[in-house]
Amino acid sequence: MGAAESARPGEVKIRLRDLHKAFGPNAVLSGVDLDMAAGTSTVIIGGSGTGKSVLLKHVIGLLRPDRGSVEVDGVTVEELAGEALTRFRRKFGMAFQEGALFDSMTVAENVAFPLTRIGSRSRAEIAARVRECLGLVKLEGVEGKMPSELSGGMRRRVGFARAIAHEPEILLFDEPTTGLDPVTKETIDELIIDLKNSLASTLVTISHDMGSVFRIADRVAMLYGGKIIAHETPADLRASRDPRVFEFLRRDLEMWGAARSG
Amino acid sequence: MKTIEAFFEEIGRFFEMLWGVLVWTPRRPWDWRQLLYQMVRVGVNSLPVILLTAMFTGMVMALQTTATLMRFGAERYVGSLVSLSLVRELAAVLGGLIIAGRSGSAMGAELGSMRVTEQIDALEVMATNPIHYLVVPRVWATVVMLPLLVVVSDAIGIWGGYLVAVLLMGTNPVAYLETTFQYTEVSDVTSGLIKAAFFGLFLAVIGCQQGFYTSGGAQGVGRSTTRAVVIASIVILISDFFLTKILF
């Protein structure tokens, strides 16, 4: 893999071509084409069960496509195996929907995990980085706690801290703010914006929350019926005449309206 | 048709998991702490229940065989009968079944819940092979600890048999010990230990495999846990016959 270099900002970092995936009789992805540029933030939207998480898992090689291909920095992911795949994944940080913290480890050990497995930091450097990352997600003094002692929202924030700990080139966030309180939501959004502005990372986020989508996205991609039906800037998306996009945004606005009046 | 398919899929996964363990075992980093931790869980923590089982097995064996052998006036052979049955057969099989219920089920449940909460995915994402990290230490810990538990079981079982034969049934204590050591060969002991090592391998790989391929939330975890115990128990009983045949 040594020959492959990282894409420079603006160049295509992640390229999905004609991606197909079915689970038994259920076709989830049926021909996804999507390019994501290095140093940009792409948000993938779409209704529940449309396969957004499945799409994300293809990017990092957790799932293999039935047809089509995923390229990251010019490397075809599904051709990687064993050691090469393990090395390839060092580029990535991923935050899972429910946090996916290791429940046999403390919070600090969880956040330190990618640092101990990837890279060559000393113990003191790791401890400092762990504190720093937990500080970024506004969690202090929980280092010694076990995940089971934390609330759902705190677990998610620890998961977020763990994803960014080793400063990966590509960050994948699977619904980072869903179900969080508004204040925490804003914290996470601001973190994502900071990461985006640093231009060092390529971000791919799955979100339901249109409020944060418009804040954090450079480009929004909408998954519908197993395909990407829109891939535009947030402003263009808002002006979209596509009835499927329009419907999705309108529903969301209505939900917001109901939440405000209720 | 569906069942046959599922059956072969299960067998395929077993060998896939076994192969994975063999391939990943020599790779670094070696996680000694995790191995030690699993050895304590499988071995040390199982000691009380294993001792209790072995002791009562030896006791009931003595009770049964003394009554029978007395009819032929051959009660001096109680010791050899108890010890041979234990050493060659019962300690390994009963130990295997108990550890399958205790540790195999725990492996199924732990790895199963790690699977459904995406912790196994998280490991992979953080450049860590889950077989290397989770399965390898569990399997080797069981392979090492089960024979050690069997050694202790052998001793305790023979002692339990002695207590019953001598104190309860009034047979000659010297004859008990004499026939025990006269007729029990080292090869009898090692054959039991080899079997135990295989049972440990089977039950740990099956437990991990069931957990690893869990799907369907909490219900799925329950299903994996049950299957880990049931399949491992059946495999232990069936493989016992063939291993005995091979090891004489």
Side-chain angles (χ1 to χ4, degrees), chain B residues 44-223:
Chain B
V44 181
N45 297 349
S46 304
L47 209 52
V49 60
I50 287 280
L51 291 185
L52 203 72
T53 313
M55 183 158 159
F56 276 90
T57 308
M59 283 165 68
V60 80
M61 288 279 306
L63 206 57
Q64 293 276 16
T65 52
T66 312
T68 313
L69 290 175
M70 267 179 173
R71 296 183 200 172
F72 312 108
E75 65 266 26
R76 58 179 273 109
Y77 295 105
V78 171
S80 59
L81 235 157
V82 169
S83 83
L84 278 176
S85 321
L86 271 172
V87 164
R88 290 183 56 99
E89 191 61 45
L90 289 173
V93 172
L94 292 176
L97 292 176
I98 285 172
I99 299 301
R102 210 180 164 279
S103 306
S105 62
M107 294 174 199
E110 263 175 34
L111 269 60
S113 66
M114 288 187 75
R115 166 65 72 194
V116 301
T117 55
E118 295 186 303
Q119 290 178 51
I120 290 183
D121 284 343
L123 275 177
E124 285 204 48
V125 166
M126 287 182 275
T128 303
N129 183 289
I131 293 189
H132 189 212
Y133 189 76
L134 297 171
V135 181
V136 167
R138 283 177 169 78
V139 168
W140 292 121
T142 319
V143 171
V144 171
M145 291 318 273
L146 193 54
L148 290 182
L149 288 170
V150 167
V151 171
V152 185
S153 295
D154 288 345
I156 294 289
I158 290 169
W159 180 70
Y162 175 90
L163 287 184
V164 168
V166 172
L167 298 182
L168 207 65
M169 308 298 281
T171 65
N172 184 337
V174 180
Y176 184 97
L177 291 175
E178 215 175 66
T179 57
T180 296
F181 291 108
Q182 195 176 342
Y183 294 106
T184 312
E185 309 273 345
V186 174
S187 66
D188 294 318
V189 180
T190 48
S191 82
L193 298 186
I194 292 170
K195 283 205 277 191
F198 274 102
F199 296 160
L201 180 71
F202 296 152
L203 81 88
V205 171
I206 290 167
C208 291
Q209 164 207 351
Q210 291 304 325
F212 204 76
Y213 292 102
T214 300
S215 60
Q219 210 180 10
V221 176
R223 213 180 309 126

Side-chain angles (χ1 to χ4, degrees), chain A residues 57 60 86 89 94 96 100-103 105 113-114 117 162, chain B residues 27 29 114 117-119 121-128 133:
Chain A
K57 284 182 179 175
I60 196 166
T86 306
R89 284 185 173 139
M94 181 164 179
F96 289 86
L101 302 182
F102 303 126
D103 36 38
M105 298 179 195
F113 192 86
R117 309 294 291 194
R162 188 176 67 178
Chain B
R27 303 237 177 130
M114 288 187 75
T117 55
E118 295 186 303
Q119 290 178 51
D121 284 343
L123 275 177
E124 285 204 48
V125 166
M126 287 182 275
T128 303
Y133 189 76

